[in-house]
């Protein structure tokens, strides 16, 4: 997106120079800077204090070697990272991604987004992200354990309950968090809330597993009901079939929607009568299998190899797989098929061109930073419970999650209106989050 404001355009040019070829990171920064035009015009003090120049530079980027031994006894080497992006409003907080595509650009974009997302939750957490180019697919439990132990052996010196609290993301769920927690405890000899997404028997919070998907639907519900719309009677298409996708599907169905298509990186299933989520959970959470298996077990469903989940006609689209998985052509197709709302469960799943088309076509659009903040919000509630040495009930955490998501919606709407972009939740979310972090940075001096 072309930035019109001179100061921001120059700043972005400089970010492009210093982060050349980091396309995902530049995409995320460009979107935020474009939103900030009305803010810098009103707040010259922020430019004077160099707040934005500081915000686009990670406070610390740690890269390390992760060596481990596979089941055949062969030594394997991966690259590990932690990007500690901004700690102005709390300890660094954000997930760990294990996927062969992981590189510095992807983790910087995710860490940057996390800073704003975490600010929107209203809870005291800074932003970070980490992970490795390790590919968990096809690995045995033993290999996963040895990788996680090796990864944490180095990471342990950089994290801590009051310093930096990692959690899950793509390829990291309860199993991986458990192995990492066990290794941290062994190295430090302390039982603290250094990770979130832990098992329920050792400090995990109820609702954390469901939180991102449920939160996405709570946010979407707010956005829809403001226009007199809802999930009830709508057909829903979801990309991905991992943690976020599964619990988005569960809540969307509870709210009266019919989830008719889901995908994985190999292909997608279409089940016009509504996907049987128990079958998906068995395939994905228990067997760690492929989504094609669904069509074998539910004969009324069809499986199609390859991308293309967005060609299935629907009223509500929930991209919950990965970045840039919904591009301009997909957006055109969704619009032609009558889709009226898109809410991002994944981080940056829609390309800038796709978003521009949705906005131009009047499709309701919920940006990731706001819409998928439920996961990290419940992570912060897990940190609180760990500090209190307490465990809250499912109902208690779920009702706090609902309040937080409604609060984020209100904040994004209010900021959008106040800065002359009524109804634009992207601008609203970016501005509300930015102002909170910027204020904290101003008070803490140049650092
Ligand atoms: P999972 O690993 O549980 O699931 C990821 C899903 O996305 C899988 O179905 C996977 O398919 C698919 N996928 C991943 N990469 C690709 C790709 N390159 N092309 C096509 N499909 C792909 O991860 P999560 O559900 O936790 O994360 C999904 C998204 O949500 C990510 O963007 C993540 O950053 C974001 N997110 C996660 C939160 C959380 O609490 N977990 C919180 C907020 C955002 P396959 O199995 O074939 O690889
Ligand atoms: O992108 C995200 O917000 C996450 N992967 C969750 C981070 C967390 O700390 O729970």
């Amino acid at each position: 997106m072309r930035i019109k404001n001179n100061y921001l355009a120059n700043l972005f040019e400089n970010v492009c120079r210093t982060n050349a070829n980091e396309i995902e990171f530049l995409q995320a920064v460009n979107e935020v800077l474009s939103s900030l035009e009305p803010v810098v015009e009103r707040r010259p003090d922020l430019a004077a204090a160099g707040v934005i120049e500081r915000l686009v530079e990670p406070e610390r980027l740690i890269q390390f070697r992760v060596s481990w031994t596979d089941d055949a006894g062969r030594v394997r080497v991966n690259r590990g990272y932690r990007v500690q992006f901004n700690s102005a409003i709390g300890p660094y907080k954000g997930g760990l991604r294990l996927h062969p595509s992981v590189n510095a650009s992807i983790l910087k974009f995710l860490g940057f987004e996390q800073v704003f997302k975490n600010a929107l939750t209203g809870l005291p957490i800074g932003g970070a992200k980490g992970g490795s180019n390790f590919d968990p697919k096809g690995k045995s439990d033993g290999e996963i354990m040895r990788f996680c132990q090796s990864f944490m052996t180095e990471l342990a010196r950089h994290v801590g309950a009051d310093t930096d609290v990692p959690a899950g993301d793509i390829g990291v769920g309860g199993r991986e968090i458990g192995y990492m927690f066990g290794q941290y405890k062994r190295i430090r000899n302390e039982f603290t809330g250094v990770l979130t997404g832990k098992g329920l028997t050792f400090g995990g919070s109820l609702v954390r597993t469901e939180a991102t998907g449920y939160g996405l639907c709570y946010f979407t519900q707010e956005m829809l009901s403001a226009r007199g719309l809802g999930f009830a009677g709508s057909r829903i298409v979801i990309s991905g079939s991992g943690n976020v996708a599964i619990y988005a599907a569960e809540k969307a169905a509870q709210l009266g929607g019919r989830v008719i298509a889901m995908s994985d990186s190999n292909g997608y299933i279409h089940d016009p009568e509504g996907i049987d989520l128990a079958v998906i959970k068995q395939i994905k959470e228990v067997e760690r299998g492929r989504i094609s298996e669904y069509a074998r077990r539910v004969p009324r469903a069809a499986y199609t190899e390859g991308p293309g989940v967005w060609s299935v006609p629907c009223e509500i689209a929930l991209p919950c797989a990965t970045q840039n998985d919904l591009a301009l052509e997909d957006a055109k197709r969704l619009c032609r098929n009558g889709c009226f709302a898109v809410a991002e469960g994944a981080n940056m799943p829609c390309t800038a061109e796709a978003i521009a088309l949705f906005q131009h076509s009047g499709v309701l659009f919920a940006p990731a930073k706001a819409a998928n903040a439920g996961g990290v919000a419940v992570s912060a509630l897990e940190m609180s419970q760990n500090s209190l040495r307490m465990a809250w009930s499912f109902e208690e955490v779920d009702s706090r999650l609902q309040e937080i998501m409604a609060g984020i919606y209100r904040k994004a709407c209010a900021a959008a209106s106040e800065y002359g972009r009524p109804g634009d939740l992207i601008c609203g979310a970016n501005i509300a989050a930015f102002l909170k972090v910027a204020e904290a940075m101003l008070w803490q001096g140049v650092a």
Side-chain angles (χ1 to χ4, degrees):
M1 206 183 295
R2 213 179 68 77
I3 299 171
K4 290 183 260 338
N5 175 282
N6 261 344
Y7 162 69
L8 288 172
N10 288 336
L11 202 158
F12 184 62
E13 225 175 84
N14 199 35
V15 176
C16 291
R17 262 196 305 276
T18 39
N19 303 275
N21 304 321
E22 296 194 338
I23 48 173
E24 294 88 0
F25 178 56
L26 296 175
Q27 182 183 342
V29 172
N30 180 280
E31 185 214 273
V32 169
L33 296 189
S34 306
S35 297
L36 295 183
E37 292 189 332
V39 181
V40 295
E41 279 156 24
R42 219 183 278 184
R43 292 283 306 269
D45 59 315
L46 296 174
V51 167
I52 307 178
E53 288 85 341
R54 288 188 273 146
L55 248 176
V56 296
E57 190 65 27
E59 289 176 9
R60 196 172 294 106
L61 193 159
I62 301 148
Q63 185 190 307
F64 51 95
R65 187 181 69 202
V66 187
S67 314
W68 54 283
T69 308
D70 68 19
D71 287 346
R74 206 153 60 91
V75 173
R76 309 277 285 260
V77 179
N78 287 101
R79 186 170 284 181
Y81 303 87
R82 187 70 178 164
V83 185
Q84 298 179 329
F85 219 105
N86 191 292
S87 59
I89 65 168
Y92 303 109
K93 180 86 197 85
L96 296 170
R97 179 176 290 193
L98 297 183
H99 193 272
S101 63
V102 161
N103 59 33
S105 170
I106 288 177
L107 295 180
K108 279 166 67 180
F109 118 64
L110 289 163
F112 182 72
E113 296 266 304
Q114 199 81 44
V115 175
F116 298 89
K117 180 195 305 193
N118 293 4
L120 286 171
T121 65
L123 301 165
I125 38 178
K129 204 82 186 189
S132 171
N133 61 356
F134 172 80
D135 185 359
K137 279 205 190 83
K139 301 289 190 297
S140 69
D141 268 355
E143 289 175 325
I144 297 284
M145 182 182 76
R146 290 193 294 279
F147 172 83
C148 289
Q149 289 177 337
S150 178
F151 183 81
M152 182 49 90
T153 301
E154 170 61 28
L155 192 67
R157 70 183 81 234
H158 306 292
V159 298
D162 293 315
T163 306
D164 183 354
V165 182
D169 193 78
I170 290 178
V172 176
R175 174 180 60 170
E176 292 74 19
I177 294 293
Y179 291 147
M180 288 186 202
F181 182 79
Q183 185 71 352
Y184 182 86
K185 182 163 62 68
R186 212 163 135 204
I187 292 171
R188 291 287 183 91
N189 193 26
E190 59 181 40
F191 194 112
T192 50
V194 64
L195 291 155
T196 59
K198 299 184 291 297
L200 296 176
T201 51
F202 55 97
S205 174
L206 285 162
V207 195
R208 179 61 190 90
T209 303
E210 297 85 354
T212 311
Y214 278 22
L216 173 69
C217 292
Y218 295 148
F219 187 93
T220 307
Q221 181 83 335
E222 294 289 325
M223 178 176 80
L224 294 173
S225 68
R227 307 289 167 115
L229 301 165
F231 278 99
S234 296
R235 290 170 302 172
I236 294 141
V237 169
I238 300 181
S239 67
S241 47
N243 173 263
V244 179
I246 287 174
Y247 292 95
E250 184 165 287
K251 186 52 74 178
Q254 284 172 12
L255 293 170
R258 187 150 45 99
V259 180
I260 56 166
M262 293 179 82
S263 66
D264 64 18
S265 58
N266 292 103
Y268 67 94
I269 50 159
H270 182 196
D271 184 347
E273 287 178 34
I275 286 173
D276 183 341
L277 212 55
V279 177
I280 295 283
K281 284 185 182 178
Q282 173 65 25
I283 295 169
K284 287 293 173 183
E285 294 184 333
V286 181
E287 300 166 22
R288 299 179 188 275
R290 308 313 302 159
I291 206 159
S292 53
E293 188 56 32
Y294 183 89
R296 271 192 280 278
R297 295 184 197 179
V298 182
R300 64 171 190 251
Y303 172 73
T304 310
E305 191 82 12
V309 71
W310 305 122
S311 65
V312 178
C314 65
E315 283 74 44
I316 300 173
L318 304 176
C320 296
T322 191
Q323 65 275 359
N324 293 327
D325 115 277
L326 196 167
L328 182 60
E329 286 310 309
D330 305 311
K332 285 183 184 163
R333 206 138 182 197
L334 285 166
C335 289
R336 270 203 306 275
N337 289 338
C339 172
F340 60 67
V342 178
E344 296 186 315
N347 287 306
M348 208 166 75
C350 300
T351 64
E353 296 76 20
I355 294 173
L357 182 80
F358 290 139
Q359 292 195 311
H360 180 75
S361 314
V363 172
L364 297 175
F365 186 79
K369 282 184 204 83
N372 75 25
V376 76
V378 173
S379 276
L381 299 180
E382 182 171 327
M383 290 166 70
S384 304
Q385 293 170 79
N386 292 164
S387 298
L388 292 166
R389 304 202 186 283
M390 296 264 291
W392 299 331
S393 69
F394 191 96
E395 292 69 28
E396 162 118 40
V397 181
D398 189 40
S399 84
R400 284 177 189 259
L401 171 63
Q402 291 185 46
E403 268 169 44
I404 290 168
M405 298 315 294
I408 296 175
Y409 179 74
R410 280 195 303 274
K411 280 180 231 174
C413 283
S417 297
E418 194 185 334
Y419 283 86
R421 306 279 195 278
D424 182 342
L425 294 175
I426 302 180
C427 272
N430 286 339
I431 291 173
F434 168 74
L435 287 173
K436 175 167 182 182
V437 178
E439 199 64 34
M441 289 173 71
L442 283 176
W443 279 96
Q444 292 174 41
V446 176

